[in-house]
Amino acid sequence: MSLQAPKDMAAERDAAKFDIEKLAHYWAGGEERYKHLQRAFKFMASDPELVMQPPRNILDTTRPEIREFTMGQIHRYAKVLQDPLYKNDSDFKEALFQALAMYSESFSMRIGVHTALFKNVLNMLGSDAQREQWLDDIENFRVIGCFAMTELGHSSALRDIETRATYDMATDEFVIESPSITATKWWIGMAGKTATHTMVIAQTYINGKHYGHNWFVVQLRDRETGELMPNIVAGDIGAKVGRSGLDNGWIQFRNVRTPRTNMMSRWVSLSRQGEYTPAPSPVVMYATLIPERIMLTVNCVGMVTQALTIATRYGVVRRQGHKNEQIMDYLSHYGKLVPAVAFMYMTHSACMTVNEQFKVLTAGGDMDPMTYLNHVGDMHAISACFKGYVGWFGSDILETCRRCCGGHAYSAYNAIGSLIDDWGVLTTGGGDNVVMLQQTTRILLHRLEQKLDMDEYPELQFKSSTHYFTKAKEYVAWSNWTVTNVEDCLKDLTLVEDALHCILLNSISNELKTGSTHNDLLLDEARAAELHGAAYMFSDAVSKFGSVNHADPALDKGVAGIMHRLTALWGVHVLHTFSDQGYKEGVLSPAQIKAIEKLYLKLCKELRYQVVGLTDAFGYPDFVLKAPIGKYDGDIYEPYFETVLNAPSSTGKPPYHAKYIQPLTTQGGK
Amino acid sequence: MSLQAPKDMAAERDAAKFDIEKLAHYWAGGEERYKHLQRAFKFMASDPELVMQPPRNILDTTRPEIREFTMGQIHRYAKVLQDPLYKNDSDFKEALFQALAMYSESFSMRIGVHTALFKNVLNMLGSDAQREQWLDDIENFRVIGCFAMTELGHSSALRDIETRATYDMATDEFVIESPSITATKWWIGMAGKTATHTMVIAQTYINGKHYGHNWFVVQLRDRETGELMPNIVAGDIGAKVGRSGLDNGWIQFRNVRTPRTNMMSRWVSLSRQGEYTPAPSPVVMYATLIPERIMLTVNCVGMVTQALTIATRYGVVRRQGHKNEQIMDYLSHYGKLVPAVAFMYMTHSACMTVNEQFKVLTAGGDMDPMTYLNHVGDMHAISACFKGYVGWFGSDILETCRRCCGGHAYSAYNAIGSLIDDWGVLTTGGGDNVVMLQQTTRILLHRLEQKLDMDEYPELQFKSSTHYFTKAKEYVAWSNWTVTNVEDCLKDLTLVEDALHCILLNSISNELKTGSTHNDLLLDEARAAELHGAAYMFSDAVSKFGSVNHADPALDKGVAGIMHRLTALWGVHVLHTFSDQGYKEGVLSPAQIKAIEKLYLKLCKELRYQVVGLTDAFGYPDFVLKAPIGKYDGDIYEPYFETVLNAPSSTGKPPYHAKYIQPLTTQGGK
């Protein structure tokens, strides 16, 4: 077995019909970025402050240990940023950040609240003067920030937030107050023990009048002593399911005072005399939530690709069954793992597109409010359904990976358990997924109501995710999918697009007709949004890889070829997954559905021998994956056994032998 | 909010259309057993060796702490068994065992390997003399046993087990040997640090000839000193995803000697001279695996009902949304939780039936081999698909419960995280679920091939789970479901049974016709087995509760009424879930599917206000549930906050402030 496994692994790599390294370059965002990432991996691998060195195992630590280690990583990372050797090497600094985030979800989220949340709100909602005041301190960690939105009694419903900010004109300050226990800010990353400052969202009252939400910087701790500031009560939230290295915390504000100038004022302003000028639209105040959702989606991709790499590698070296097959040869393995891998390539590609679109729209915070307002609904729709759809499907895939590793995923040392535990926050945090998906569908319904009677749909400058709505009337009139030989789809992927759009538009137009409440349609609405997201990914990939000949000429031919095959598989997968909806709407017949299923399983089987190459290209070194059963070389059993032997007190008598065992086993018997 | 929540909870209880306590009696197996259970809960609640007392929190312990605490529970439990006060009170002793198993999954499995595995193999496969030799020591914990089946390289494939037992006639002993690293016994509960003996399965060699598997008792540790016996190498498996209180371990046998008389010999025998008499069928050697599967299914019910109780209670006291609704009022909540609760009642009832059947068949180990062989295939089919189906659907429900509690399920203190972690072993351990389901379908396929051409099917004395196969020809000929008004099903639940059996028999008879390999049909086969299990549960419930008037007269009218409604919902749920299979087979039309869905959602809605009563009846005290957000009285926020405050070092500066935080925040800036 031990000899066979590495041979099996090598044979899988040989079977790849593309250059694995070239695909790895593509995945990393180009050969240059790939090389910087490799440099970063090499740099950190032997650094004991960045990567836990054997025999210590980061998958087997106590809460105090991992909290300290994670803050140590940030400390060390901050020092590297300031090191003259790297200070001006922004490629390396970015790569190191990425590499560390891959290695530790606790690091990723601990530093994420500081940069992607705290700093990003300042960047997008703060005035130039405010940015000038704070940015340098933030970037150098003289100020360590957190993001206080969620409250104990209120999560996704911002409207119900209880924390109040009342303007006191006498002192030119806001008074921040938590009026009840349910108003306690809760889950706030880094608030538990670390953050010196927080960006808090609160209901704003000026001269007794309510002006909705605003964002305020409030100091939490003394930068010298680390003690809490007066009238701040805060603490650590204790044991969580995952990300134990992050000090999630709670905060109560007992009439804390913060200067008027600490209210974020890019879009709103408040004069010394209490004259309040609101934002052009309240929508701009939540602009940071869109990149947060994309960031969470990208985080999902990072975690799921690690689990897939582990499960795939184990699947090709584990042998079992009547003919001692590689377990990957079972349909229950490849039929689940292959489409999951395709999904990751699709999500990765679509997130790049959406990120690009968002950058165009916001111009790094300097966006034109009107352009932004015209298109933000569309960005909201696509980012929300990505977060929901990828979050849910990703959960399923992690569970699939767990089951594909059999009992060995139950060992903490094979990493999948900790990925699942760390994952938890992604499906409920950053906007509950049900709510996210429902919001997307409401936008779709609204768009459909607006446009169904239009003969033409004006070309948008901004590329809308609902572009296919221009053909809504046609699709709804169509009603059934006319393809009789489903294999034709492989020659023309737009046939699949047609089917998906036809199913979606029929189902939401039928929803409009029922006259039922949104609540009665809630599950249908969530599903429609999932289909919108899945279909968007497909269309995005069709435009990039749909025709091998017309793909980006900069793309390697082998890479273009495999991406084309993954795109085709993805389209058929989505069609298969939503075929029940198609049947209910009268779009698909049982014969078509059976043919789709057959084609789908055939495409999965054809890609069975590509899985190792495809997951290799995600580019994770063994020390990032951490799982002995997911080792690159396939030689898994001895290192796994060694990991177990390295565990604290893995052998010898337990300390409780004399107290609890011996008294039983030495009782006088018959 | 704090004031509203308990009122909301009380209103939910008032809305129950049945006597909650009477339903609790039914669930517990009768009023007497309910009362014994309450006695046991009361006994243990304040006992610091059985239940961790505040401010310590069993959901926030280190591995050494919880391993010791769990062995302490067993020690204390063993003492109670021997206490003159309780020695003869078998009702109480059984109730205490049950109650402790509800409180701790680690206790449940730690003691489970000793009794349900080690002792049960002795009982079912050991001779009278062997039982006489060992039973008293086992029952009094002078011998602490474990069960050595799984190996590092081999799990569900017993055929490939490498451990060897070679008979040495010279000394009248077997030599037990682990010939390679992959032969290491792995995951063996209690082998890590505790067990004095193990029941090991090994390939048997006598006079150079291979005689298949046998079971052997081998001593692992000295009962006095706790040291390993000569030639035994064993240790603890370290950190796992769940059940940290259990010392799963690994064992290597380096030519260990064990007497010939330690080979289990109820069905096989070996003379001093090496003459081997095999079992009447190899099947009897695996008889213990059937009750193990039922036990795991019952364990699933225990864990899922706890999560459902927590999610339900939180769902009725949490308010959110535009009208400040109870979140339970959202379809995304009740539409998922109500059928899950129904599923638990169905599984609970069906497991009782199957357990009863197994008892009839095995007569406590004294079974007649021929009767057993005639019917064991059927027991195997139903127990295997229960384990697979309940294990998978149960995973989904736990995930649903997690999401229904939003972010608060991410706190370790709300217990759902630990239920999910502890759960992991159930889907892959005790027989991988894919393999389990596939085995069921193979039996179904075999039965169908045998019987399809028979006009009559002889009435079995033993009630077969495939009784509906008698009508196989009829169902297959039928092909489409003739019901036009789906609501008629509520008056006659056998209409739903017909639809389910028709879908299943058509789909497996079509599988037979395709000529595809089992592997190409693997996913279909797994699904068919799930439908078989789900339909069996439904038929079992229809026979018990299908007609309120004809239900068991001993049953309270209100209980009979709610069980009838749950049965109806369950049938429609299964039909809805497998409707895609129905249209693919041409059994259901789009109109029927839409009508089924409508009826299904209506039934869920009608039971929305019964959920608190239904979950109350599971009978878990707050200290067993452990989750502040699942508190019986609905007053959740303050106890939750208090739990967090009780966590070690929840407030104050972190020990690493001077090392990692202060150096950053006090750097000289601009």
Side-chain angles (χ1 to χ4, degrees):
Chain A
M1 177 66 100
S2 295
L3 296 168
Q4 185 61 39
K7 276 189 214 160
D8 284 340
M9 185 64 89
E12 297 281 333
R13 294 210 166 93
D14 287 345
K17 293 197 169 161
F18 52 90
D19 182 328
I20 298 175
E21 208 175 330
K22 291 238 163 82
L23 187 63
H25 297 167
Y26 163 74
W27 179 266
E31 187 172 351
E32 282 308 304
R33 289 183 64 181
Y34 177 81
K35 284 182 178 163
H36 291 304
L37 210 48
Q38 294 306 312
R39 244 175 92 206
F41 284 137
K42 206 172 157 193
F43 177 88
M44 63 193 269
S46 57
D47 186 316
E49 288 190 295
L50 294 177
V51 167
M52 206 173 265
Q53 306 290 313
R56 288 180 78 197
N57 189 329
I58 195 167
L59 296 171
D60 193 5
T61 54
T62 62
R63 186 159 82 244
E65 273 177 313
I66 192 65
R67 292 253 161 111
E68 171 160 351
F69 182 78
T70 309
M71 188 61 213
Q73 288 178 307
I74 291 176
H75 174 264
R76 174 85 178 102
Y77 170 71
K79 292 293 166 197
V80 174
L81 296 189
Q82 295 167 353
D83 187 325
L85 256 176
Y86 307 105
K87 207 174 164 54
N88 299 314
D89 189 348
S90 60
D91 287 331
F92 175 74
K93 290 191 294 184
E94 195 192 315
L96 183 62
F97 178 83
Q98 251 191 300
L100 282 166
M102 289 178 198
Y103 174 69
S104 162
E105 291 304 322
S106 286
F107 170 86
S108 160
M109 201 162 263
R110 193 159 180 161
I111 201 160
V113 298
H114 174 72
T115 55
L117 299 178
F118 180 77
K119 178 176 138 189
N120 204 25
V121 171
L122 179 77
N123 255 335
M124 292 185 69
L125 307 181
S127 65
D128 290 345
Q130 288 170 326
R131 294 199 260 186
E132 172 66 23
Q133 181 188 349
W134 296 98
L135 267 181
D136 191 66
D137 278 345
I138 294 171
E139 278 163 7
N140 288 287
F141 297 89
R142 285 185 292 266
V143 158
I144 299 179
C146 66
F147 177 77
M149 187 158 89
T150 302
E151 298 179 354
L152 176 56
H154 318 279
S155 48
S156 298
L158 285 187
R159 208 179 33 80
D160 298 334
I161 289 268
E162 292 178 69
T163 305
R164 297 164 68 105
T166 308
Y167 182 52
D168 178 356
M169 212 191 304
T171 61
D172 198 21
E173 290 169 322
F174 274 97
V175 179
I176 313 286
E177 188 201 356
S178 312
S180 70
I181 182 172
T182 47
T184 308
K185 293 289 179 184
W186 203 260
W187 290 123
I188 313 307
M190 295 255 266
K193 297 279 176 179
T194 314
T196 60
H197 291 70
T198 189
M199 184 70 77
V200 56
I201 189 169
Q203 307 285 359
T204 313
Y205 290 85
I206 299 160
N207 292 327
K209 205 178 150 202
H210 179 220
Y211 285 96
H213 295 137
N214 271 290
W215 298 90
F216 303 85
V217 173
V218 177
Q219 186 163 0
L220 295 178
R221 291 182 174 86
D222 185 279
R223 283 162 54 182
E224 175 74 35
T225 65
E227 299 292 345
L228 291 172
M229 301 300 286
N231 302 323
I232 297 282
V233 188
D236 193 298
I237 220 135
K240 304 186 305 279
V241 171
R243 303 184 193 238
S244 296
L246 167 63
D247 56 324
N248 286 89
W250 51 271
I251 312 170
Q252 290 177 344
F253 302 96
R254 308 247 167 110
N255 292 325
V256 176
R257 292 184 163 263
T258 202
R260 172 177 57 94
T261 52
N262 277 13
M263 179 176 82
M264 293 297 101
S265 54
R266 179 168 205 75
W267 305 109
V268 305
S269 66
L270 176 63
S271 72
R272 178 68 186 84
Q273 291 71 36
E275 285 148 329
Y276 184 81
T277 314
S281 157
V283 167
V284 298
M285 301 300 285
Y286 314 111
T288 59
L289 300 180
I290 290 174
E292 189 196 348
R293 274 173 220 137
I294 300 298
M295 185 188 72
L296 290 176
T297 306
V298 170
N299 190 202
C300 287
V301 171
M303 297 175 76
V304 172
T305 47
Q306 292 194 25
L308 281 169
T309 307
I310 296 165
T312 297
R313 290 182 183 166
Y314 180 70
V316 300
V317 300
R318 177 78 166 191
R319 285 177 171 270
Q320 196 156 297
H322 290 294
K323 295 176 199 154
N324 204 25
E325 294 98 328
Q326 292 170 286
I327 57 175
M328 183 61 82
D329 287 338
Y330 289 105
L331 176 59
S332 49
H333 260 69
Y334 73 77
K336 300 274 183 185
L337 293 176
V338 167
V341 168
F343 175 53
M344 288 296 98
Y345 278 93
M346 296 297 112
T347 309
H348 177 261
S349 167
C351 282
M352 287 198 291
T353 303
V354 173
N355 254 334
E356 210 46 59
Q357 294 271 300
F358 193 68
K359 267 188 210 153
V360 167
L361 201 58
T362 53
D366 294 322
M367 68 264 217
D368 168 59
M370 288 322 291
T371 311
Y372 183 78
L373 286 176
N374 281 338
H375 300 306
V376 72
D378 194 72
M379 289 304 305
H380 175 55
I382 197 68
S383 67
C385 76
F386 269 25
K387 201 238 157 211
Y389 177 54
V390 177
W392 278 355
F393 191 17
S395 302
D396 292 347
I397 297 172
L398 289 179
E399 178 69 10
T400 295
C401 291
R402 186 178 77 73
R403 293 179 191 172
C404 283
C405 295
H408 294 315
Y410 186 58
S411 168
Y413 306 132
N414 285 320
I416 288 179
S418 83
L419 286 168
I420 291 176
D421 282 343
D422 288 349
W423 177 270
V425 66
L426 297 178
T427 43
T428 53
D432 183 86
N433 283 358
V434 175
V435 177
M436 293 289 97
L437 292 167
Q438 201 183 16
Q439 288 183 357
T440 297
T441 299
R442 296 221 179 150
I443 292 169
L444 299 183
L445 286 168
H446 177 69
R447 190 147 293 189
L448 192 66
E449 271 186 312
Q450 278 185 315
K451 303 298 177 197
L452 209 53
D453 291 328
M454 286 179 64
D455 282 327
E456 274 180 70
Y457 190 79
E459 199 61 40
L460 289 168
Q461 289 186 301
F462 179 81
K463 196 179 166 193
S464 164
S465 70
T466 54
H467 197 68
Y468 59 95
F469 274 61
T470 51
K471 284 166 69 181
K473 264 180 103 167
E474 194 182 317
Y475 280 124
V476 173
W478 243 31
S479 83
N480 73 318
W481 196 45
T482 52
V483 175
T484 48
N485 181 0
V486 171
E487 295 244 355
D488 288 348
C489 293
L490 298 183
K491 284 173 226 140
D492 181 2
L493 292 174
T494 64
L495 295 174
V496 179
E497 281 191 275
D498 280 342
L500 298 179
H501 294 152
C502 186
I503 292 170
L504 183 69
L505 285 163
N506 273 285
S507 73
I508 67 174
S509 94
N510 285 338
E511 272 168 42
L512 284 176
K513 286 180 211 148
T514 61
S516 300
T517 66
H518 279 300
N519 192 30
D520 283 340
L521 295 169
L522 189 49
L523 299 176
D524 290 322
E525 289 189 4
R527 196 132 192 269
E530 290 189 288
L531 177 51
H532 176 65
Y536 176 86
M537 289 180 187
F538 180 58
S539 293
D540 175 65
V542 169
S543 73
K544 292 175 183 168
F545 317 107
S547 162
V548 186
N549 302 326
H550 301 107
D552 181 354
L555 213 57
D556 171 78
K557 274 240 159 12
V559 171
I562 188 72
M563 288 304 296
H564 174 75
R565 292 175 71 184
L566 292 170
T567 303
L569 172 66
W570 178 249
V572 180
H573 166 84
V574 178
L575 193 50
H576 179 246
T577 304
F578 290 86
S579 61
D580 61 326
Q581 198 70 33
Y583 181 68
K584 271 202 301 191
E585 301 305 336
V587 177
L588 298 176
S589 70
Q592 283 173 320
I593 289 170
K594 284 194 170 182
I596 290 164
E597 182 160 282
K598 203 172 153 194
L599 177 62
Y600 171 55
L601 295 177
K602 184 181 143 194
L603 294 177
C604 287
K605 199 170 194 171
E606 286 174 1
L607 284 163
R608 145 73 185 89
Y609 280 94
Q610 305 306 306
V611 283
V612 166
L614 284 167
T615 49
D616 276 357
F618 297 145
Y620 297 113
D622 283 346
F623 79 88
V624 168
L625 293 177
K626 307 173 193 75
I629 62 166
K631 269 185 71 206
Y632 180 82
D633 64 8
D635 185 16
I636 63 172
Y637 291 110
E638 289 187 24
Y640 180 18
F641 197 13
E642 216 161 287
T643 306
V644 165
L645 283 173
N646 271 335
S649 58
S650 67
T651 54
K653 261 197 293 189
Y656 52 82
H657 180 263
K659 188 171 175 193
Y660 289 140
I661 299 177
Q662 198 198 40
L664 293 175
T665 54
T666 57
Q667 297 165 92
K670 49 171 191 177
Chain B
M1 175 69 95
S2 296
L3 296 168
Q4 185 61 39
K7 275 189 215 160
D8 283 339
M9 185 64 88
E12 296 282 331
R13 293 209 168 93
D14 288 344
K17 294 198 168 159
F18 52 90
D19 181 328
I20 298 175
E21 208 174 332
K22 292 238 164 80
L23 186 64
H25 296 167
Y26 164 74
W27 179 265
E31 187 171 352
E32 280 309 303
R33 290 183 64 181
Y34 176 81
K35 284 183 177 162
H36 291 304
L37 210 49
Q38 294 308 312
R39 244 175 92 205
F41 284 137
K42 205 174 160 194
F43 177 89
M44 63 193 268
S46 57
D47 186 316
E49 288 191 294
L50 294 176
V51 167
M52 208 173 263
Q53 305 290 315
R56 287 180 78 197
N57 189 328
I58 196 167
L59 297 171
D60 193 5
T61 54
T62 62
R63 187 158 83 245
E65 274 178 313
I66 192 67
R67 292 253 161 111
E68 172 160 349
F69 182 77
T70 308
M71 189 60 213
Q73 289 177 306
I74 291 177
H75 174 265
R76 174 86 177 102
Y77 170 69
K79 291 294 165 198
V80 174
L81 295 189
Q82 295 168 352
D83 188 326
L85 256 176
Y86 307 105
K87 207 173 164 53
N88 299 313
D89 190 348
S90 60
D91 287 332
F92 175 74
K93 290 191 294 183
E94 196 192 314
L96 183 62
F97 178 84
Q98 251 191 297
L100 282 166
M102 289 176 196
Y103 174 68
S104 162
E105 291 304 321
S106 285
F107 171 86
S108 160
M109 200 162 263
R110 193 159 180 162
I111 201 160
V113 298
H114 174 72
T115 55
L117 299 179
F118 181 77
K119 179 176 138 189
N120 203 26
V121 172
L122 179 77
N123 255 334
M124 292 185 69
L125 307 181
S127 65
D128 290 346
Q130 288 170 327
R131 294 199 258 186
E132 172 65 23
Q133 182 187 349
W134 296 99
L135 268 181
D136 190 67
D137 278 346
I138 293 172
E139 278 163 5
N140 286 287
F141 297 90
R142 286 184 291 268
V143 158
I144 299 179
C146 66
F147 177 78
M149 187 158 88
T150 303
E151 299 179 353
L152 175 56
H154 318 279
S155 48
S156 298
L158 285 187
R159 209 178 34 79
D160 299 333
I161 289 266
E162 292 178 69
T163 304
R164 297 163 69 103
T166 308
Y167 182 51
D168 179 355
M169 212 191 302
T171 61
D172 197 21
E173 291 170 321
F174 275 98
V175 180
I176 314 286
E177 187 201 356
S178 312
S180 71
I181 184 173
T182 47
T184 309
K185 293 289 179 184
W186 202 261
W187 290 124
I188 314 307
M190 295 256 266
K193 296 280 177 178
T194 314
T196 61
H197 291 70
T198 189
M199 184 71 76
V200 56
I201 190 169
Q203 308 284 0
T204 313
Y205 290 85
I206 300 161
N207 292 326
K209 206 179 147 199
H210 179 220
Y211 285 96
H213 295 137
N214 271 289
W215 298 92
F216 303 84
V217 173
V218 178
Q219 185 164 358
L220 294 178
R221 290 183 173 87
D222 186 279
R223 282 163 53 181
E224 176 73 36
T225 66
E227 299 292 344
L228 291 172
M229 300 300 285
N231 303 321
I232 296 282
V233 188
D236 193 299
I237 220 135
K240 304 187 304 280
V241 171
R243 301 184 194 241
S244 295
L246 167 64
D247 55 324
N248 286 88
W250 52 270
I251 312 170
Q252 290 177 343
F253 303 95
R254 308 246 167 111
N255 293 325
V256 176
R257 292 183 165 262
T258 201
R260 172 178 56 94
T261 52
N262 276 11
M263 179 176 82
M264 291 297 101
S265 56
R266 179 170 204 74
W267 306 108
V268 305
S269 65
L270 176 63
S271 73
R272 178 68 186 83
Q273 289 72 36
E275 285 148 328
Y276 183 83
T277 314
S281 157
V283 167
V284 299
M285 302 300 285
Y286 314 111
T288 60
L289 300 180
I290 291 174
E292 189 195 347
R293 275 173 218 135
I294 300 298
M295 186 189 72
L296 290 175
T297 306
V298 171
N299 190 199
C300 288
V301 171
M303 298 175 75
V304 172
T305 47
Q306 292 194 24
L308 281 170
T309 307
I310 296 165
T312 297
R313 291 182 182 166
Y314 179 70
V316 300
V317 299
R318 177 78 167 192
R319 285 178 170 271
Q320 196 156 296
H322 290 295
K323 294 176 200 154
N324 204 25
E325 293 98 328
Q326 291 170 286
I327 57 176
M328 183 61 82
D329 287 337
Y330 289 105
L331 176 59
S332 49
H333 260 68
Y334 73 78
K336 300 273 183 186
L337 293 176
V338 167
V341 168
F343 176 52
M344 288 296 97
Y345 277 92
M346 297 296 111
T347 309
H348 177 262
S349 166
C351 282
M352 287 199 290
T353 302
V354 173
N355 254 335
E356 210 46 60
Q357 294 271 299
F358 194 68
K359 267 189 210 153
V360 168
L361 201 57
T362 54
D366 294 321
M367 67 264 219
D368 168 58
M370 289 320 294
T371 311
Y372 183 77
L373 287 176
N374 282 338
H375 300 305
V376 72
D378 194 72
M379 288 305 304
H380 176 55
I382 198 68
S383 67
C385 77
F386 268 25
K387 199 231 159 220
Y389 177 53
V390 177
W392 279 355
F393 191 16
S395 302
D396 292 347
I397 296 173
L398 289 179
E399 178 69 11
T400 295
C401 291
R402 187 178 76 72
R403 293 179 192 172
C404 283
C405 296
H408 295 315
Y410 186 59
S411 168
Y413 305 132
N414 285 319
I416 288 179
S418 84
L419 286 168
I420 291 176
D421 283 343
D422 288 349
W423 177 269
V425 67
L426 298 178
T427 43
T428 54
D432 183 87
N433 283 358
V434 176
V435 177
M436 292 290 96
L437 292 167
Q438 200 183 17
Q439 288 183 357
T440 297
T441 298
R442 294 219 181 153
I443 293 169
L444 298 183
L445 286 168
H446 177 69
R447 192 148 290 191
L448 192 65
E449 270 185 311
Q450 279 185 312
K451 303 298 177 197
L452 207 54
D453 291 328
M454 285 179 64
D455 281 329
E456 275 181 68
Y457 190 78
E459 200 59 41
L460 288 168
Q461 290 185 300
F462 179 81
K463 196 180 167 192
S464 163
S465 71
T466 54
H467 197 68
Y468 59 95
F469 275 60
T470 50
K471 284 165 67 182
K473 266 181 99 167
E474 194 182 316
Y475 281 125
V476 173
W478 245 31
S479 84
N480 73 319
W481 196 46
T482 52
V483 175
T484 47
N485 181 0
V486 171
E487 295 245 356
D488 289 348
C489 292
L490 298 183
K491 283 174 226 139
D492 182 3
L493 292 174
T494 64
L495 294 174
V496 179
E497 281 190 277
D498 280 343
L500 298 178
H501 295 151
C502 186
I503 292 170
L504 183 68
L505 286 162
N506 273 285
S507 72
I508 68 175
S509 95
N510 284 338
E511 272 169 41
L512 283 176
K513 286 180 211 147
T514 61
S516 300
T517 65
H518 280 300
N519 192 31
D520 282 341
L521 294 169
L522 190 49
L523 299 177
D524 290 323
E525 290 189 6
R527 198 130 192 270
E530 290 189 288
L531 177 51
H532 176 64
Y536 176 86
M537 289 178 187
F538 180 58
S539 292
D540 175 66
V542 169
S543 73
K544 292 175 184 169
F545 318 107
S547 162
V548 186
N549 302 326
H550 301 107
D552 181 354
L555 214 57
D556 172 79
K557 274 238 159 12
V559 171
I562 189 72
M563 288 304 295
H564 174 76
R565 292 175 71 183
L566 292 170
T567 303
L569 171 65
W570 179 249
V572 179
H573 166 83
V574 178
L575 192 51
H576 179 246
T577 304
F578 289 86
S579 61
D580 61 327
Q581 199 68 34
Y583 68 69
K584 269 201 300 191
E585 301 304 337
V587 177
L588 299 177
S589 70
Q592 283 173 321
I593 287 173
K594 284 194 174 183
I596 290 164
E597 183 161 282
K598 203 172 152 194
L599 176 61
Y600 171 55
L601 294 177
K602 185 180 141 193
L603 293 177
C604 287
K605 199 171 194 171
E606 285 174 2
L607 284 164
R608 146 73 186 89
Y609 279 95
Q610 306 306 306
V611 284
V612 166
L614 284 166
T615 50
D616 275 357
F618 297 145
Y620 297 113
D622 282 346
F623 80 88
V624 168
L625 293 177
K626 307 174 193 74
I629 61 166
K631 270 185 71 207
Y632 180 83
D633 64 9
D635 185 16
I636 64 172
Y637 290 110
E638 289 187 22
Y640 180 19
F641 197 13
E642 215 161 289
T643 306
V644 165
L645 283 173
N646 270 336
S649 58
S650 67
T651 53
K653 260 197 292 190
Y656 51 81
H657 180 263
K659 189 171 175 193
Y660 289 141
I661 299 175
Q662 198 197 41
L664 294 176
T665 53
T666 56
Q667 297 164 94
K670 52 172 187 174

